[in-house]
Amino acid sequence: MNVNFLLMGILLLSCTSPKPIKGAVVSAREEASAIGVEIMKQGGTAFDALIATDLALTVCYPNAGNISGGGFLVYRTAEGKVGSLDYREKAPMGASADMYLDEQGNVMPGKSTLGGLAVGVPGTVAGLAAIHKKFGTLPWEDLVQPAIDLARKGYFVTKKQQRSFESKKEDFIAVNGPDTFYAQDFKAGDRVQNTALAETLERIAKYGKAGFYQGPVAEDLVNRVMETGGVITLEDLLAYEPVWRDPINFQYKDLNIYAMGPPSSGGICLAQIMKMIEPYNVGQYDHNSKEAMQVIVEAERRSYADRSLYLGDPDFVNVPKDSLLDVTYLNKRMNSFTFEKATKSTDIAPGSIQWEESEETTHYSIVDPLGNAVAVTTTLNGSYGSKVFVENGGYFLNNEMDDFSSKPGVPNMFGLIGGKANAIAPQKRMLSAMTPTIVERKGKLAMVVGTPGGSTIITSVLQTILNVYEFDMDVQSAVSAARFHHQWLPDVVVFEPGQFNPSLIKSLQDKGYNIKEEYSRIIGRVDAIQISESGEITTGADPRGDDTAVPLY
Ligand code: GLY
């Protein structure tokens, strides 16, 4: 070959082939992802980037990003060590099993969702401090500083965010009065400068965990909770400790999967569903085909039924993890499944226990150039939590108490029912569905994934993994692909509206599946990173939100 041609070819290739990505942050907001990447550029690891990204989300994604909620981390270090941190909120010491019941024993509407009594003892700052203590390489103050700067300089409101603010304005005012910070009419493109939050973050930067759980920030928090009818005390804040726990680990074909264990139901349910699906080899069917969907829905039905009965805070109840994950048991659970017709949820377990959770949570995935990976899902529970805004502190408080069963066996105002395992008790953690997940293949890091979406979290994570490994999609397509959801009760399969072929819907209806297409709530917002066998990093940011992947070159 002519040498000039060869040189031109090499030049052309080097101009056109994309630069390899060395790391990435995928989160609900571009600012937060960019801040995480900047930390890695300064030499920080994925753990350092996690802290900066998390606090940035507190500023620019106030519906779910938080210093006043809780979350879960699942990590895999560059050396292949895997673990998880539980910094889920806890019930205050003054909580009791019947705290949301009136004198007649009826659930009082709104008490577990709106106002001070809905607030669980926050775990986020203690969680971030524990992560920094164990894994941090850059100084804590340097990781908090970008969020302080963002709060002072301001973040820009997106169109979706404007709609979100507008939809909750009445609640903000009802709980906090007309002068509350977020009752201002912020429009898309407006810059929001939150000086009060910058000052709170400055105390956290200076004093670490104590900057939130002690001193003026803690006092303001407790006062605001008390003013709005809650029971959290300074003693509750001082007593809060996160817990390092073993994640749930299971094999699916050649994948080795780690996901969050109790008090999240995510890992156990994901494992149950995938193990029930495994023998059916769903990859032999087309993606979102009738057969593939039947197998997935039937496995989901059986797992969510177990979830309602058995899962709760492992520090308070005995979660029969091994029995629930026993392969013989799971295969037996699928014995009643046939492709001929839908199983009825009432035939799966007695009673009619219903599970649903609120959808406002956020997830981010980070991989650094060394190969450390973190999957973090964090939440205030409802959108903007309890809507209680600590004006002096610039942040909303969670309403995580609603993830408990207000009255075991009886529906609360949203029709939610839970088992005794998830009854309220002082200092107990409420059951979650959050499913931060790490996938290994052939001993190597292969995927980091998670999502918000309440009870749809588990099934969205499931479909994203299956889309990549069974249906051969790249990770962005896997995240974007239309999703469906089933959770045992109500006995309906929820479809993303307008995304599924009417003939497919008809054929499933003919089999006895009750399809609900007009469902308005989101089915997750998955943020994922895939690492190929050769080490190539690709990202998937969910187009359903403002989610953005920022690569590190
Ligand atoms: N608050 C939603 C969850 O923890 O699953």
Side-chain angles (χ1 to χ4, degrees):
M1 188 194 273
N2 178 314
V3 174
N4 283 342
F5 260 129
L6 191 65
L7 283 176
M8 261 174 64
I10 291 170
L11 200 66
L12 206 66
L13 258 179
S14 63
C15 289
T16 52
S17 55
K19 270 201 270 175
I21 297 176
K22 292 195 281 191
V25 182
V26 194
S27 82
R29 289 283 300 215
E30 188 175 359
E31 300 90 326
S33 297
I35 280 172
V37 165
E38 188 49 41
I39 292 295
M40 292 196 280
K41 281 187 187 156
Q42 291 166 19
T45 64
F47 296 98
D48 296 310
L50 172 173
I51 294 162
T53 301
D54 203 292
L55 293 172
L57 285 168
T58 303
V59 177
C60 62
Y61 198 61
N63 56 316
N66 67 82
I67 47 174
S68 48
F72 300 112
L73 156 71
V74 175
Y75 67 85
R76 183 185 188 277
T77 66
E79 297 77 35
K81 288 208 177 80
V82 179
S84 68
L85 182 66
D86 163 5
Y87 52 99
R88 181 73 162 164
E89 299 93 323
K90 294 176 96 165
M93 294 176 197
S96 59
D98 58 0
M99 65 189 281
Y100 299 119
L101 306 184
D102 63 17
E103 279 168 11
Q104 285 73 46
N106 300 317
V107 174
M108 293 182 284
K111 287 286 182 195
S112 64
T113 53
L114 206 66
L117 203 60
V119 184
V121 182
T124 297
V125 177
L128 297 182
I131 292 164
H132 187 257
K133 190 168 173 210
K134 191 171 169 105
F135 291 113
T137 64
L138 297 185
W140 170 257
E141 311 81 83
D142 295 1
L143 303 176
V144 186
Q145 192 59 44
I148 298 171
D149 296 342
L150 186 62
R152 285 208 182 280
K153 287 186 193 137
Y155 67 92
F156 290 98
V157 175
T158 68
K159 277 196 187 128
K160 285 177 181 146
Q161 201 164 31
Q162 178 187 330
R163 283 198 293 275
S164 163
F165 287 148
E166 282 166 358
S167 71
K168 295 293 183 288
K169 184 173 166 175
E170 253 178 52
D171 284 343
F172 296 160
I173 292 173
V175 176
N176 304 293
D179 298 329
T180 187
F181 183 76
Y182 274 108
Q184 297 176 70
D185 281 317
F186 292 121
K187 300 278 181 236
D190 284 355
R191 184 200 289 263
V192 180
Q193 290 169 291
N194 188 342
T195 313
L197 182 54
E199 284 165 10
T200 303
L201 289 166
E202 272 158 3
R203 290 198 72 84
I204 292 170
K206 195 162 173 196
Y207 300 109
K209 181 184 165 192
F212 183 80
Y213 292 88
Q214 294 173 52
V217 172
E219 282 155 25
D220 282 340
L221 189 159
V222 167
N223 288 340
R224 194 75 193 105
V225 168
M226 298 280 184
E227 278 164 20
T228 51
V231 293
I232 292 179
T233 61
L234 289 172
E235 200 190 348
D236 280 313
L237 292 179
L238 262 185
Y240 186 89
E241 290 291 343
V243 187
W244 296 97
R245 300 188 191 272
D246 288 336
I248 298 294
N249 176 219
F250 65 98
Q251 275 68 47
Y252 176 84
K253 298 189 172 176
D254 66 345
L255 304 179
N256 185 32
I257 300 177
Y258 295 92
M260 193 66 213
S264 179
S265 59
I268 287 187
C269 289
L270 184 68
Q272 282 197 311
I273 296 168
M274 293 194 82
K275 295 307 280 182
M276 282 190 266
I277 287 173
E278 192 172 19
Y280 293 86
N281 199 16
V282 287
Q284 68 179 299
Y285 307 112
D286 286 342
H287 174 249
N288 282 353
S289 62
K290 182 181 69 190
E291 292 80 5
M293 291 174 79
Q294 279 187 271
V295 174
I296 293 168
V297 164
E298 295 299 347
E300 290 172 352
R301 188 192 309 279
R302 287 152 176 81
S303 175
Y304 275 78
D306 281 355
R307 177 191 195 274
S308 70
L309 291 172
Y310 296 115
L311 302 189
D313 182 346
D315 295 342
F316 281 72
V317 295
N318 185 14
V319 177
K321 188 187 99 182
D322 293 340
S323 310
L324 290 171
L325 298 183
D326 181 75
V327 176
T328 314
Y329 165 72
L330 292 170
N331 289 342
K332 237 163 84 189
R333 289 286 274 166
M334 287 298 269
N335 276 351
S336 54
F337 164 59
T338 145
F339 282 101
E340 295 314 308
K341 67 176 179 39
T343 309
K344 292 271 165 269
S345 285
T346 42
D347 293 339
I348 286 299
S352 103
I353 294 170
Q354 194 170 4
W355 277 95
E356 223 175 89
E357 286 175 47
S358 54
E359 67 238 45
E360 285 295 342
T361 294
T362 191
H363 173 87
Y364 52 89
S365 297
I366 305 179
V367 171
D368 71 20
L370 299 171
N372 297 298
V374 299
V376 176
T377 315
T378 177
T379 188
L380 289 170
N381 193 19
S383 194
Y384 309 94
S386 60
K387 317 296 184 286
V388 177
F389 192 72
V390 183
E391 303 288 343
N392 288 341
Y395 60 90
F396 286 99
L397 292 171
N398 70 77
N399 61 349
E400 217 68 59
M401 290 297 285
D402 195 56
D403 271 350
F404 279 118
S405 313
S406 290
K407 184 177 179 185
V410 173
N412 69 7
M413 69 177 288
F414 300 112
L416 311 177
I417 304 177
K420 271 196 185 140
N422 192 31
I424 305 170
Q427 298 220 285
K428 187 178 174 184
R429 289 174 158 94
M430 54 296 283
L431 186 61
S432 170
M434 293 192 282
T435 315
T437 299
I438 287 193
V439 179
E440 286 178 351
R441 198 178 201 183
K442 298 186 183 158
K444 289 184 184 167
L445 177 66
M447 192 187 237
V448 188
V449 58
T451 180
S455 57
T456 70
I457 288 176
I458 299 161
T459 58
S460 295
V461 168
L462 165 76
Q463 285 168 84
T464 308
I465 297 172
L466 293 178
N467 287 350
V468 170
Y469 296 106
E470 290 285 7
F471 302 110
D472 295 327
M473 292 185 200
D474 62 80
V475 66
Q476 183 58 66
S477 307
V479 166
S480 304
R483 290 196 280 266
F484 57 95
H485 170 74
H486 181 65
Q487 58 177 42
W488 180 45
L489 291 171
D491 196 348
V492 291
V493 187
V494 177
F495 278 37
E496 279 195 283
Q499 301 290 313
F500 291 82
N501 194 317
S503 65
L504 169 77
I505 294 176
K506 169 87 176 56
S507 66
L508 284 165
Q509 283 168 335
D510 289 346
K511 300 259 175 212
Y513 290 94
N514 187 7
I515 311 281
K516 192 172 171 189
E517 233 199 327
E518 74 278 12
Y519 198 73
S520 62
R521 285 171 27 167
I522 56 161
I523 298 193
R525 280 179 193 160
V526 179
D527 286 337
I529 301 175
Q530 190 187 358
I531 303 91
S532 74
E533 234 181 296
S534 62
E536 190 198 354
I537 294 174
T538 46
T539 54
D542 206 315
R544 295 165 182 84
D546 291 320
D547 302 54
T548 309
V550 175
L552 172 67
Y553 292 108

Short mmCIF file of all heavy atoms in Angstrom, two decimals, residues 88 357 361 379 381 400 403 432-434, ligand 1:
data_model
loop_
_atom_site.label_atom_id
_atom_site.label_comp_id
_atom_site.label_asym_id
_atom_site.label_seq_id
_atom_site.Cartn_x
_atom_site.Cartn_y
_atom_site.Cartn_z
N ARG A 88 -30.00 4.63 55.39
CA ARG A 88 -31.44 4.81 55.36
C ARG A 88 -31.87 5.59 56.62
O ARG A 88 -31.28 5.40 57.70
CB ARG A 88 -32.08 3.43 55.37
CG ARG A 88 -33.59 3.37 55.33
CD ARG A 88 -34.14 3.73 54.01
NE ARG A 88 -35.52 3.31 53.82
CZ ARG A 88 -36.28 3.79 52.85
NH1 ARG A 88 -35.81 4.69 52.00
NH2 ARG A 88 -37.51 3.37 52.71
N GLU A 357 -44.97 2.42 46.32
CA GLU A 357 -44.18 3.41 47.04
C GLU A 357 -44.07 4.66 46.22
O GLU A 357 -44.29 4.65 45.02
CB GLU A 357 -42.80 2.85 47.36
CG GLU A 357 -42.86 1.83 48.47
CD GLU A 357 -41.54 1.17 48.72
OE1 GLU A 357 -40.54 1.88 48.81
OE2 GLU A 357 -41.54 -0.05 48.83
N THR A 361 -37.03 9.76 44.00
CA THR A 361 -35.78 9.28 44.54
C THR A 361 -34.78 9.64 43.45
O THR A 361 -35.16 10.07 42.38
CB THR A 361 -35.92 7.76 44.77
OG1 THR A 361 -36.88 7.54 45.80
CG2 THR A 361 -34.63 7.06 45.13
N THR A 379 -32.81 9.34 48.58
CA THR A 379 -34.20 9.78 48.48
C THR A 379 -34.65 10.65 49.64
O THR A 379 -34.10 10.57 50.75
CB THR A 379 -35.12 8.53 48.39
OG1 THR A 379 -36.44 8.95 48.09
CG2 THR A 379 -35.12 7.73 49.68
N ASN A 381 -38.00 10.38 49.73
CA ASN A 381 -39.23 9.61 49.55
C ASN A 381 -40.13 10.34 48.56
O ASN A 381 -39.94 10.22 47.36
CB ASN A 381 -39.95 9.33 50.86
CG ASN A 381 -41.04 8.28 50.66
OD1 ASN A 381 -41.01 7.55 49.66
ND2 ASN A 381 -41.99 8.20 51.55
N GLU A 400 -39.94 9.93 54.76
CA GLU A 400 -39.64 8.51 54.63
C GLU A 400 -40.48 7.63 55.55
O GLU A 400 -40.63 6.43 55.31
CB GLU A 400 -38.15 8.28 54.93
CG GLU A 400 -37.51 7.23 54.06
CD GLU A 400 -37.40 7.66 52.61
OE1 GLU A 400 -36.75 8.68 52.32
OE2 GLU A 400 -37.98 6.97 51.76
N ASP A 403 -42.82 5.04 54.21
CA ASP A 403 -42.40 3.73 53.69
C ASP A 403 -42.62 2.61 54.72
O ASP A 403 -42.46 1.44 54.41
CB ASP A 403 -40.93 3.76 53.25
CG ASP A 403 -40.79 4.19 51.79
OD1 ASP A 403 -41.82 4.28 51.09
OD2 ASP A 403 -39.66 4.45 51.36
N SER A 432 -37.38 -0.29 51.96
CA SER A 432 -37.15 0.47 50.73
C SER A 432 -37.20 -0.46 49.53
O SER A 432 -37.13 -1.69 49.69
CB SER A 432 -35.77 1.14 50.82
OG SER A 432 -35.41 1.70 49.59
N ALA A 433 -37.31 0.13 48.35
CA ALA A 433 -37.18 -0.66 47.12
C ALA A 433 -35.90 -0.27 46.36
O ALA A 433 -35.66 -0.77 45.27
CB ALA A 433 -38.40 -0.42 46.23
N MET A 434 -35.11 0.61 46.94
CA MET A 434 -33.96 1.13 46.19
C MET A 434 -32.97 0.00 45.89
O MET A 434 -32.67 -0.83 46.74
CB MET A 434 -33.30 2.25 46.98
CG MET A 434 -34.23 3.47 47.08
SD MET A 434 -33.45 4.96 47.68
CE MET A 434 -33.36 4.67 49.43
N1 GLY B 1 -38.72 5.90 49.33
C1 GLY B 1 -38.59 5.00 48.26
C2 GLY B 1 -37.81 3.79 48.60
O1 GLY B 1 -37.03 3.82 49.53
O2 GLY B 1 -37.95 2.79 47.97
#
